[in-house]
Amino acid sequence: MNPEPAPIQIPNDLNFIDPLDPLALGSGMSEADVVAADRARSRRERVIMWSARLAVFVLIFGGWQLFTAKSVGIVDPFFWGRPSGIVTALKNWFEHGTQFGSIWANILVTLKEAVLGFIFGVLAGMIAGIALGQSRFLSDVLNPYIKVVNAIPRIVLAALFTVAFGVGTESKIVTAGVLVFFGVFFNAYQGTREVDRNLIANARVLGAGRWQTNRHVVLPSAATWIIASLHVAFGFAIIGAVVGEVLGATQGLGLLIYSSMDTFQINGVFAGMALIAVIALTAEFLIAALEKRVLGWRPPSQTQSSGL
């Protein structure tokens, strides 16, 4: 007669390791050791990532500077500029201003146009997307008109708004808002269509009205889609502002770029692009922080965990 197997003893101390944990399996590591090892690995990954980014930066701009040197002469700096020339152009703008006023004034004009256009475009895109996503009738009626307007080249719309609203900030805000609108609208529309209908039905059974249902069910469910569109939406806002300034303006980074191009100052063109890139990266950082705060309940994606 076989003896009965001894009961399995589960330790009650705090250092008990889950046998299914791949980091601790067979290693005898405590929970604190596993956490510390994970943090150390994350730090190493960040160091490697930033080192690789720095290496790419040095490779691109170092090679650019080298190839445009007179002793090498592979690339003509008259047409392609030089990193050192871009730095000199930026230094002159910040120290002595531009022909259109202080560089800070020009940055603020473009930033104002892009931010206001971004806000108006996001609000309009969210409202229209949620409304049409919930109403099949409205969607069927307005769908062909939305597609027609979306098919019109944006530069044509920018020219139209410049004629209609003048060369002031209004035309750039409208242009930026229109570019932002379509990106947010389609994501809000699709996000609304993807909401679980059982959740909406349950909310209405519990007595929730349309406003409460949209606020507590539809909008949170579609938030992932909407916030995802914001990453590209602000880029569209800057494009709308800059294109509007190129077509006609009294101040702005787009006007500085166009003026530098018109006078064959290629370093000035790249200097304006560098300032726009700084604005765009700052906005991306703020939007990523907003996404992390609003969607903190969502498990991190592969790109988020890698720091992108």
Side-chain angles (χ1 to χ4, degrees), residues 130-141:
I130 292 175
L132 268 66
Q134 291 182 311
S135 174
R136 185 178 184 85
F137 176 76
L138 280 178
S139 177
D140 292 339
V141 170

Side-chain angles (χ1 to χ4, degrees), residues 21-271:
D21 188 348
L23 293 176
L25 184 61
S27 64
M29 297 174 63
S30 67
E31 184 177 355
D33 292 336
V34 172
V35 173
D38 185 63
R39 290 177 178 176
R41 178 172 52 85
S42 298
R43 285 195 296 269
R44 287 195 300 271
E45 290 176 352
R46 285 196 295 269
V47 169
I48 294 173
M49 177 190 68
W50 282 104
S51 299
R53 287 178 175 177
L54 180 61
V56 172
F57 180 87
V58 171
L59 179 64
I60 293 175
F61 290 95
W64 186 2
Q65 180 74 18
L66 176 65
F67 292 156
T68 53
K70 292 183 179 180
S71 57
V72 178
I74 296 177
V75 179
D76 190 345
F78 180 80
F79 296 106
W80 296 101
R82 308 188 70 193
S84 58
I86 297 171
V87 173
T88 301
L90 288 170
K91 182 179 178 181
N92 289 335
W93 283 354
F94 281 100
E95 291 182 352
H96 308 292
T98 69
Q99 64 268 43
F100 306 109
S102 153
I103 183 60
W104 290 111
N106 286 274
I107 292 175
L108 289 177
V109 166
T110 301
L111 190 59
K112 173 186 174 183
E113 296 164 350
V115 169
L116 290 179
F118 176 77
I119 293 173
F120 294 147
V122 167
L123 292 177
M126 285 176 55
I127 294 172
I130 292 175
L132 268 66
Q134 291 182 311
S135 174
R136 185 178 184 85
F137 176 76
L138 280 178
S139 177
D140 292 339
V141 170
L142 299 178
N143 184 52
Y145 299 100
I146 293 174
K147 289 183 177 180
V148 167
V149 177
N150 188 42
I152 298 175
R154 302 299 187 261
I155 193 169
V156 175
L157 294 176
L160 175 63
F161 295 145
T162 300
V163 173
F165 298 102
V167 296
T169 59
E170 292 82 3
S171 59
K172 287 73 176 176
I173 293 173
V174 175
T175 302
V178 170
L179 266 67
V180 170
F181 169 82
F182 286 103
V184 176
F185 166 77
F186 288 118
N187 273 42
Y189 175 80
Q190 188 62 34
T192 303
R193 298 294 295 269
E194 295 292 333
V195 175
D196 189 348
R197 299 300 165 185
N198 291 327
L199 293 177
I200 297 177
N202 291 337
R204 290 177 178 172
V205 167
L206 294 174
R210 179 175 292 274
W211 166 251
Q212 292 175 318
T213 302
N214 287 335
R215 179 183 176 185
H216 297 291
V217 179
V218 177
L219 191 57
S221 298
T224 302
W225 291 76
I226 294 172
I227 293 181
S229 68
L230 301 186
H231 291 281
V232 294
F234 193 82
F236 285 145
I238 294 179
I239 291 173
V242 171
V243 169
E245 290 169 353
V246 169
L247 293 177
T250 57
Q251 278 187 319
L253 295 178
L255 181 61
L256 286 178
I257 292 174
Y258 182 77
S259 176
S260 298
M261 180 192 69
D262 202 37
T263 55
F264 297 99
Q265 297 177 7
I266 191 63
N267 289 321
V269 174
F270 282 114

